[in-house]
Amino acid sequence: MNDGTFYHPQNSTLGFQKIYVLNMPLRVDRRRNMQALARFHGLRFDYAQTFDASRANALGRASGYATNGTHLACYLSHLGVYKRMVEEGIETALILEDDVDMELDLKQRHMLIMDQTYRRYKGDWDMLYLGHCTADASEPGMASVSRANNAATAPSGNGGASLFVDPADRAAFLQRNLTLYLAEYPMCLHAYAVTRACAKRLAVLLEERLRTVGQDIDLVLAVGVEYGMSTVLGASPPYMVQVGRQELPSDLTLLRDGDTAQRLSRSTLYHLKLRATNPQTLPPYMDLSWR
């Protein structure tokens, strides 16, 4: 990959060749949010083809896939971007799902992360998570995070959370410096960059997994990272997060429990009055108990 890709991390595609957004045309509320983010931050988006569960199931039955429903729809939407990158010769792309929010100082934060990426790795990386939804063991600041072994150990908060930060340590945890790190088990696919070489490998991997397993796509990719499939980097703390199902119901499930909303220091959508709740008080990750 040409290192010159990262010479302009503050341009309209954040230094990548493309920014793809996965969005169903019927979800005008999500498209409205994404257009507002693009205008505010001076970004240019390419909207990519997505699948709903019904259309995905029809294709799955015809193709003999092992998974179906919402899992399959997610697989096919991301797989379509990987194939498009390979076919069109796109060397790097940022892939966004349409339920993201961004830090108000997005480009300043992104400049710091891309500077670290260039200095430490140059072009030798495969995936870069600008957003992730669970705590990663290799992430900076994890020394202040403890595992909750039972309900009495952790304060009440996120349903299903298995980690917690002692209230005395929370300020330091939230104010940790923005840092690039080598990810061990990244989760969620709402904001990540991928190279063309990696997209080519991922397309083969997902086509194989579609016929053999029924796991969520982010679990498949995380396991691949764990076993050394790719050089995967992450930004900590993340500066692109999910709005969450309570405020923005999912296209692929009617469930609103286990909300995916995450903390931002200064939310762009809240600043633009497109969110009812300030995410500054939310847990940083889905698996952290906070309240």
Side-chain angles (χ1 to χ4, degrees), residues 223-243:
V223 169
V225 173
E226 189 177 37
Y227 285 92
M229 178 190 75
S230 305
T231 299
V232 179
L233 310 175
S236 177
Y239 46 91
M240 297 186 183
V241 305
Q242 295 169 301
V243 170

Side-chain angles (χ1 to χ4, degrees), residues 138-283:
S138 62
E139 189 175 351
M142 287 299 107
S144 61
V145 175
S146 303
R147 183 163 295 280
N149 294 318
N150 54 57
T153 307
S156 61
N158 257 14
S162 61
L163 304 171
F164 74 98
V165 178
D166 189 284
D169 297 326
R170 287 182 184 178
F173 181 74
L174 294 177
Q175 292 166 15
R176 68 194 188 279
N177 291 331
L178 180 63
T179 307
L180 183 77
Y181 72 99
L182 188 63
E184 288 186 7
Y185 201 84
M187 287 296 295
C188 295
L189 296 173
H190 55 275
Y192 69 104
V194 63
T195 66
R196 182 170 180 258
C198 184
K200 189 173 184 178
R201 295 199 305 274
L202 290 176
V204 174
L205 173 70
L206 294 190
E207 286 281 11
E208 173 190 315
R209 293 296 188 272
L210 281 171
R211 290 174 168 79
T212 57
V213 300
Q215 292 178 314
D216 288 343
I217 180 175
D218 48 357
L219 285 173
V220 170
L221 298 189
V223 169
V225 173
E226 189 177 37
Y227 285 92
M229 178 190 75
S230 305
T231 299
V232 179
L233 310 175
S236 177
Y239 46 91
M240 297 186 183
V241 305
Q242 295 169 301
V243 170
R245 296 172 186 162
Q246 296 292 340
E247 285 195 72
L248 203 61
S250 172
D251 297 313
L252 301 179
T253 178
L254 296 177
L255 296 177
R256 296 195 183 194
D257 57 334
D259 195 30
T260 55
Q262 292 175 251
R263 180 185 189 275
L264 284 175
S265 295
R266 292 186 299 161
S267 157
T268 301
L269 291 179
Y270 185 73
H271 173 78
L272 295 174
K273 299 184 177 4
L274 293 173
R275 291 189 71 169
T277 305
N278 189 344
Q280 192 177 64
T281 60
L282 294 173

Side-chain angles (χ1 to χ4, degrees), residues 51 56-57 59-60 65 67-77 210:
F51 288 78
N57 284 338
L59 180 59
Y65 292 151
T67 188
N68 57 29
T70 60
H71 290 179
L72 181 56
C74 194
Y75 264 92
L76 293 174
S77 297
L210 281 171

